[in-house]
């Protein structure tokens, strides 16, 4: 499992396996969020299997599926509501982790978090959020 810490409360990961849910719980994550629609690829496990395993381990779960490259304002709002209500630390995942961190960045930007802080967190996790930050700044 390739966990990339964004903040003390938030980490992202490329696609995980059901077995990785146990590892996430062992690493101290209290919540798990999937940002990938079911059946996006033939080798992908449906979210329901992750949900069962996570709940059995005492983790909170949320499914906020987003189509790659087509994040909407409603997607950001759904992510933000789930993120705000879930116990931390939280692990969000999608195919590569990019959707998850982009949703986080857009949600943070909507809350007024400074662009430089968002960029720094993304960079520390191995993601270039410069295009996302430009969108945030254009909307302010």
């Amino acid at each position: 499992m390739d966990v990339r810490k964004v903040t003390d409360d938030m980490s992202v990961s490329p696609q995980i396996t059901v077995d990785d849910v146990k590892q996430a719980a062992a690493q101290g994550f209290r919540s798990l969020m999937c940002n990938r629609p079911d059946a996006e690829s033939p080798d992908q496990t449906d979210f329901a299997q992750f949900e069962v395993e996570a709940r059995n381990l005492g983790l909170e779960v949320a499914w906020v599926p987003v189509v790659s490259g087509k994040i909407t304002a409603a997607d950001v709002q759904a992510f933000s509501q789930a993120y705000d209500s879930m116990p931390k630390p939280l692990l969000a995942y999608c195919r590569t982790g990019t959707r998850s961190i982009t949703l986080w960045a857009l949600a943070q930007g909507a809350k007024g978090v400074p662009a430089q802080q968002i960029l720094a967190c993304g960079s520390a996790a191995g993601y270039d959020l410069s295009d996302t930050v430009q969108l945030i700044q254009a909307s302010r």
Side-chain angles (χ1 to χ4, degrees), residues 26-73:
Q27 290 180 10
F29 288 102
R30 296 182 59 211
S31 299
L32 184 69
M33 184 189 304
C34 176
N35 299 125
R36 192 173 187 196
D38 280 343
E40 190 175 61
S41 67
D43 62 337
Q44 178 184 346
T45 304
D46 287 344
F47 174 72
Q49 292 180 42
F50 291 100
E51 183 175 26
V52 168
E53 184 66 16
R55 290 196 189 279
N56 285 339
L57 294 167
L59 299 176
E60 292 288 323
V61 293
W63 187 40
V64 183
V66 176
V67 175
S68 182
K70 297 183 180 180
I71 295 174
T72 67

Side-chain angles (χ1 to χ4, degrees), residues 6 49 75 93 112:
V6 179
Q49 292 180 42
D75 294 331
Y93 70 91

